[in-house]
Amino acid sequence: MKRYRFLRICIVMCCVNIGWLNAQEFTPAGNTFFSDILTAEKINPFNYLYLPVKNYTETGLFYTAEGGGFKDARIPSEMQDFGLQTNGIYKNENGILFYGDLSITKSYYKNLKWNLSYQLPENGLMEDPHYFGVARPGNWSNQDYDINGGILFPINDKWHALAEVNYNLFNKYRNDRDPRDQITFNELVFNAGLNYQLTAYQYVSLKGSYGTTDISNKTNYTNSNDDSPKNYKRYIKWITGYGSFSNPFWTSTMRNYHQVGITLGYTLEYETYNINLDVGYLQKKQDTYKNSNVNNKHNEQDFFAEYEPETYSLDGLILKRQTENSHLKLQFSGLHTKAGNTLTNQGGQSYSASITKVNLLFGYLETKQGKSVTDLGLGVGYTNSEQKDVLEQSRLNFSFVKPEFYAMKRIEINPNLDFLPKVSGQVNISLNHQFNYPNASYFNSIQDKDFFGLTQKLFYEEVTLPNSELFSASNWQSSIDLGLNLKSIQNLDTYFSIKGSYQESFSNLQYFNNATPNRWNFSASLKVYY
């Protein structure tokens, strides 16, 4: 009998095109190992053809909340999100692979100031460096719809083709106090590509993308007296860089973006390991208009600013089947983005920014009967960010190195219920920090009726100085995730988890309300796999 079992296994290995045992295919259920892989490989969906992931659908509910003062000053003091999400991969008997995800999110912001933009900053950088801002904090109510889907299909024995559509729509409302803001964001991106089999084990691919984005930003006042420069804490301004300000032409504006990208991929697929390597380039051209009443979007006289970021990326994965029930992986990701902002009425570049990110992660997964038993990860990351404001002559440059780890162990409580505790942690170690703001002395001699100068001074005290300190402070973060897995009932695999995390600086900070600010996060989710 053992000989016949071995013979059947050999036949399957010879017949399955993707080179993995069907019995050794997995899903991201209950593990970080494959969840991270599937997220990273979105850069080139052709890689889904060669991963040991079986057909699955994940549907779930989620809730997250976070708060605390250890944050960028243009991020809310508290945030809450809850919603529905689903994703999955399905490959039929004809070799056609479908993949996609959908999320619907309702979110609330509390006490958000200096940011009437459509996005929150990341690593000190705004998605657009020119945006409406106001000193008076406000609460926001938002809703977000994100739909992504694609298909991979064989053309012949050597060629596969890809078609993918990504659509994102969200609305944000600040409606509890003046100024009252309404933002609508529409983004549509198309991806198409070809994959070719070079040899029995090697594949190359080419993917192109094109997208367009339309954004409207409308601001109004219920009390017209608030819309006055003398009420400078309620009067909106254009923030046009890292400390530069400008009076708005109108209180409403619109934006129009275009993006073009290309990704080159290489895959080596052998009996027990996969190697994926992807190189990408993405160029965006982001036009912001003086007001929202624009008939001809190509008329440069209506432009307020142009922002043109370029991103170069490199992603790699080595995935090895160590034994029948264990896998090893080495993931690498790196990107470099550089961008320049031009104010059309200034006739030259007013602001520049760049960011470099590198991450390396080693992972180990042990399974039993297709389910994760032990999930371990150890990694290190590096981030360098720089922004320069030509008009204000200000500059902020900082870099961090980030060692991190996670560990999960499955514990059987009874035949129908498993417990999945997970711990993780990271340390953000400051390597370099440079901050220059030569015009700061001007704030010492501002007159009481210099409302424009008073706005700049307030931004300097509430945003520029605290952010400079934030991005120079080494800090630590730890989290614990407690999960339960209700074992399969009628092909349903159910997971429930609650997670909490805490972040704090190693040293006291001078420009925060609390000398030892922290940031906490809580989340809960219910997921069903089928």
Side-chain angles (χ1 to χ4, degrees), residues 206-235:
L206 173 66
K207 186 194 75 169
S209 66
Y210 174 79
T212 181
T213 306
D214 289 296
I215 307 168
S216 67
N217 189 319
K218 299 178 181 179
T219 305
N220 61 75
Y221 291 85
T222 56
N223 184 352
S224 59
N225 293 328
D226 290 339
D227 189 14
S228 172
K230 67 179 182 180
N231 292 323
Y232 64 93
K233 291 187 178 181
R234 304 182 184 187
Y235 186 65

Side-chain angles (χ1 to χ4, degrees), residues 70-136:
F70 191 67
K71 64 178 182 64
D72 189 307
R74 296 161 297 178
I75 288 177
S77 61
E78 294 182 13
M79 295 189 290
Q80 294 186 73
D81 299 330
F82 64 90
L84 166 72
Q85 62 183 13
T86 183
N87 68 85
I89 292 177
Y90 174 76
K91 186 176 183 180
N92 66 18
E93 63 276 6
N94 297 318
I96 302 175
L97 188 147
F98 302 88
Y99 63 93
D101 59 85
L102 164 69
S103 67
I104 302 172
T105 306
K106 182 69 176 179
S107 63
Y108 297 96
Y109 297 163
K110 184 177 181 180
N111 293 330
L112 175 60
K113 58 168 56 178
W114 293 115
N115 185 357
L116 301 178
S117 178
Y118 61 95
Q119 290 287 16
L120 301 177
E122 184 177 354
N123 294 302
L125 302 178
M126 296 291 290
E127 186 76 14
D128 263 316
H130 44 269
Y131 54 98
F132 287 145
V134 69
R136 190 186 195 192

Side-chain angles (χ1 to χ4, degrees), residues 183-202:
I183 299 172
T184 300
F185 178 100
N186 273 284
E187 182 175 76
L188 182 62
V189 180
F190 298 95
N191 295 280
L194 292 171
N195 184 77
Y196 178 71
Q197 183 176 4
L198 285 174
T199 68
Y201 305 110
Q202 298 182 82

Side-chain angles (χ1 to χ4, degrees), residues 165-368:
V165 178
N166 306 313
Y167 179 65
N168 185 206
L169 165 68
F170 64 73
N171 299 103
K172 292 187 172 184
Y173 303 93
R174 170 181 160 137
N175 50 23
D176 68 324
R177 57 173 60 180
D178 287 346
R180 301 170 192 268
D181 225 58
Q182 177 179 335
I183 299 172
T184 300
F185 178 100
N186 273 284
E187 182 175 76
L188 182 62
V189 180
F190 298 95
N191 295 280
L194 292 171
N195 184 77
Y196 178 71
Q197 183 176 4
L198 285 174
T199 68
Y201 305 110
Q202 298 182 82
Y203 306 83
V204 292
S205 63
L206 173 66
K207 186 194 75 169
S209 66
Y210 174 79
T212 181
T213 306
D214 289 296
I215 307 168
S216 67
N217 189 319
K218 299 178 181 179
T219 305
N220 61 75
Y221 291 85
T222 56
N223 184 352
S224 59
N225 293 328
D226 290 339
D227 189 14
S228 172
K230 67 179 182 180
N231 292 323
Y232 64 93
K233 291 187 178 181
R234 304 182 184 187
Y235 186 65
I236 66 171
K237 293 286 188 182
W238 272 116
I239 302 173
T240 57
Y242 194 64
S244 293
F245 281 73
S246 174
N247 288 316
F249 298 90
W250 301 87
T251 56
S252 298
T253 187
M254 61 179 291
R255 306 172 192 260
N256 182 251
Y257 300 166
H258 294 279
Q259 62 179 2
V260 177
I262 187 172
T263 302
L264 299 174
Y266 169 80
T267 297
L268 174 63
E269 177 206 23
Y270 205 58
E271 293 177 353
T272 58
Y273 63 86
N274 274 33
I275 298 176
N276 298 332
L277 186 65
D278 299 292
V279 180
Y281 172 77
L282 180 65
Q283 181 184 53
K284 294 184 178 181
K285 185 176 185 297
Q286 307 178 180
D287 298 325
T288 300
Y289 299 87
K290 296 177 181 178
N291 61 72
S292 58
N293 299 318
V294 176
N295 295 321
N296 182 4
K297 294 182 180 180
H298 303 288
N299 184 3
E300 295 187 0
Q301 292 183 352
D302 291 326
F303 288 1
F304 171 70
E306 294 179 292
Y307 191 55
E308 299 186 20
E310 290 182 303
T311 300
Y312 303 85
S313 63
L314 175 64
D315 294 87
L317 168 69
I318 301 176
L319 178 63
K320 187 176 189 301
R321 178 162 61 87
Q322 190 77 352
T323 68
E324 289 293 311
N325 296 303
S326 64
H327 286 79
L328 296 172
K329 71 171 181 179
L330 183 65
Q331 281 183 271
F332 171 86
S333 65
L335 68 81
H336 174 71
T337 299
K338 60 179 182 179
N341 186 60
T342 301
L343 299 179
T344 53
N345 61 343
Q346 300 289 339
Q349 188 176 96
S350 63
Y351 170 90
S352 64
S354 68
I355 186 166
T356 301
K357 291 183 180 181
V358 179
N359 290 284
L360 187 67
L361 176 66
F362 172 79
Y364 169 78
L365 179 68
E366 180 184 351
T367 60
K368 183 178 180 181

